[in-house]
Amino acid sequence: MKYERKAHDSVHAALASDDILCEILLRLPEKSVFKLILVSKKWLHLICSNSFRSSYHSRWQENVHLLGFFVCNFLYLGRPRDGFRRPPWEPALPLLSTCKEGDDLKFSGILKQLGYFIDSSNGLLLCGRHPMTYYVWNPITKQPYQLPQPQQFYRSLCMAFVIEDSHDDAICYKVIRAKCVCKPVDVNTVSIETFSSKTSTWKQSTLTCSSSFALCPRTVATVIKGVVHWFAVQRNLAIYDPYLGLRRISLIKLPAGELSYDYEESVLGESSDGLLQYGQSSTLGIEIWVLEKEQSSNSSIYKSTHSGERWIFRHKLNFRAMWKQNPTFTEHSKESQILSFLPRNSESVFIRSGSNIFLYDFESKRLEVVHYQGRGSSISWESSKIVPYFRPTWPCSSYVNDLTV
């Protein structure tokens, strides 16, 4: 009896230690961890904390849930006064829903208040109307937040949406607007304006590069571990780390490719091993690379040299071979192109063929149709960017707080 009581006290003492409890929880599968949020408020806040979530996803692959695809028509977003006008019957923020949760969002009426789609990250939506009106919609609170009006007027611009880690589990982010020069000018600087949710203010600054460059207008950056990656003209990639404090941009040449040399579509994303991945497609097929970081430096900026050795080739997909290996979809085999990567995923890619969207797995070489609700035939695919919208499956304490009261 005394031995059992001592063992019982030892278990309670161990579970009372946050460090020991974390080590135990990190070894459990995701479904088991989610069930344990009902044990107590302490376990709820520990499991939902940013620090535990980051530790868990460094050991286990993060799961996300596809709600649908947002359609961003560049003819309307930031259009000039004499530009194209959106017809009244066409929604400003179309969502091609792929599940019930996507349907609920689509018909909730909230999308009508946000303007046009710009970007999303960790479930948060960045929307608005260039060049002065922006909203961030939080899927947890279901409320939009209108950002203060920017101080700088950029007629042509590109953007970045950066989600920041927070020790107090608050959702913190930055919105970056970068000026784009439409006419070819020999300059090595770019004006940017950054909004921080911590200060609720915009701050203007100038970034400098060692050579002349210009950012591609109407594009959105891919952000990996806080580092911003923008497409630049002349097949360059511009990289900016806002946390180094150097206010510098590095340029890297994009790979040329063979199968996709005359590419028509290009996308950026994050690979399974946390690297930047780049994909481009032509009428023949798709080629994908990852960008290897400098091993001898702790900096998150890549090598400053311009040799082709930085890009590591990962995948090549011939469209003709793809359709032959998947004869069920032969009737859909129209002109195809790469659509998007999946979050932190190197094994699969979204492909568009006509108004159909497919998910292709490089390992199994299997093609899977992605069913969505919406009039795909009415979309101007050539002038639109189709972006998948994912919501993290990891719980937030505000979702379940009332269950433990």
Side-chain angles (χ1 to χ4, degrees):
M1 180 72 71
K2 185 179 294 185
Y3 173 78
E4 291 180 358
R5 183 175 181 181
K6 184 176 293 187
H8 184 267
D9 292 342
S10 299
V11 171
H12 274 274
L15 295 179
S17 169
D18 287 351
D19 292 338
I20 296 177
L21 180 58
C22 281
E23 280 301 315
I24 296 173
L25 295 175
L26 286 173
R27 301 172 189 271
L28 300 177
E30 190 176 78
K31 288 184 178 180
S32 299
V33 173
F34 290 175
K35 292 178 181 179
L36 293 175
I37 61 179
L38 300 178
V39 172
S40 67
K41 281 190 175 182
K42 176 185 176 181
W43 286 41
L44 165 70
H45 293 301
L46 175 66
I47 293 172
C48 295
S49 66
N50 287 331
S51 57
F52 180 80
R53 182 175 67 247
S54 299
S55 299
Y56 192 89
H57 288 154
S58 65
R59 182 175 299 195
W60 302 72
Q61 185 174 359
E62 181 180 6
N63 289 326
V64 291
H65 179 49
L66 176 66
L67 270 65
F69 297 85
F70 279 111
V71 181
C72 178
N73 193 322
F74 294 126
L75 296 178
Y76 310 140
L77 182 63
R79 68 173 180 84
R81 292 184 178 181
D82 57 346
F84 289 92
R85 290 186 176 275
R86 177 175 56 87
W89 52 265
E90 184 177 337
L93 189 50
L95 174 63
L96 306 177
S97 171
T98 56
C99 63
K100 183 182 182 302
E101 190 175 350
D103 291 339
D104 294 341
L105 174 60
K106 180 178 180 178
F107 297 111
S108 65
I110 186 62
L111 299 181
K112 296 180 180 179
Q113 307 174 27
L114 301 178
Y116 297 97
F117 175 83
I118 298 174
D119 197 12
S120 69
S121 183
N122 284 13
L124 271 68
L125 288 179
L126 174 63
C127 305
R129 292 177 171 83
H130 288 320
M132 303 299 281
T133 305
Y134 302 101
Y135 299 90
V136 171
W137 182 76
N138 187 334
I140 298 173
T141 63
K142 308 291 184 182
Q143 296 295 322
Y145 170 71
Q146 184 173 357
L147 275 59
Q149 193 172 80
Q151 301 172 356
Q152 305 295 316
F153 179 83
Y154 299 149
R155 184 176 299 277
S156 183
L157 73 161
C158 57
M159 299 194 69
F161 192 26
V162 184
I163 304 299
E164 300 180 299
D165 290 331
S166 174
H167 297 294
D168 58 2
D169 298 331
I171 296 178
C172 301
Y173 55 86
K174 288 183 178 178
V175 177
I176 303 176
R177 306 166 68 245
K179 183 178 181 179
C180 295
V181 180
C182 299
K183 299 180 181 179
V185 180
D186 189 19
V187 295
N188 68 335
T189 60
V190 60
S191 173
I192 69 169
E193 193 173 16
T194 304
F195 172 85
S196 172
S197 63
K198 296 179 180 178
T199 62
S200 298
T201 57
W202 292 91
K203 183 179 179 181
Q204 192 275 338
S205 56
T206 301
L207 306 181
T208 305
C209 185
S210 58
S211 57
S212 60
F213 75 104
L215 300 176
C216 294
R218 300 186 301 180
T219 58
V220 178
T222 294
V223 181
I224 300 177
K225 296 181 178 68
V227 180
V228 178
H229 305 82
W230 277 303
F231 281 118
V233 299
Q234 297 180 343
R235 290 188 54 80
N236 284 314
L237 187 70
I239 302 179
Y240 165 55
D241 190 340
Y243 299 99
L244 288 182
L246 300 178
R247 296 185 180 180
R248 293 192 62 84
I249 275 187
S250 298
L251 287 185
I252 297 177
K253 274 289 182 185
L254 292 169
E258 298 177 359
L259 182 68
S260 60
Y261 181 79
D262 295 323
Y263 72 96
E264 298 176 348
E265 187 67 30
S266 57
V267 296
L268 296 171
E270 184 177 356
S271 66
S272 302
D273 45 357
L275 300 177
L276 177 76
Q277 58 182 353
Y278 168 73
Q280 62 183 30
S281 67
S282 66
T283 56
L284 299 177
I286 296 173
E287 290 176 295
I288 296 175
W289 299 260
V290 294
L291 188 62
E292 188 181 49
K293 295 181 182 179
E294 186 175 5
Q295 299 296 323
S296 60
S297 173
N298 293 325
S299 170
S300 56
I301 294 293
Y302 297 87
K303 298 178 183 179
S304 58
T305 59
H306 292 277
S307 65
E309 297 177 357
R310 291 168 305 203
W311 291 102
I312 306 300
F313 184 77
R314 279 270 175 100
H315 296 294
K316 178 186 289 186
L317 173 62
N318 185 294
F319 284 142
R320 181 176 296 180
M322 179 187 74
W323 294 118
K324 284 185 177 180
Q325 292 164 353
N326 297 269
T328 308
F329 304 111
T330 305
E331 61 185 54
H332 300 295
S333 57
K334 299 179 181 179
E335 185 174 324
S336 307
Q337 63 177 214
I338 188 171
L339 186 69
S340 172
F341 290 115
L342 282 74
R344 291 165 290 281
N345 187 315
S346 303
E347 292 73 40
S348 304
V349 66
F350 286 118
I351 294 174
R352 180 181 71 84
S353 179
S355 60
N356 299 290
I357 298 176
F358 297 92
L359 181 63
Y360 181 80
D361 185 273
F362 286 102
E363 184 174 349
S364 66
K365 298 182 180 180
R366 300 298 298 173
L367 201 63
E368 176 186 342
V369 64
V370 181
H371 297 283
Y372 62 83
Q373 298 294 327
R375 296 189 301 173
S377 59
S378 65
I379 296 174
S380 177
W381 295 94
E382 301 304 321
S383 60
S384 300
K385 185 74 174 177
I386 313 301
V387 184
Y389 176 50
F390 291 94
R391 180 184 61 79
T393 59
W394 199 262
C396 177
S397 59
S398 61
Y399 276 139
V400 290
N401 199 31
D402 56 331
L403 298 179
T404 57
V405 176

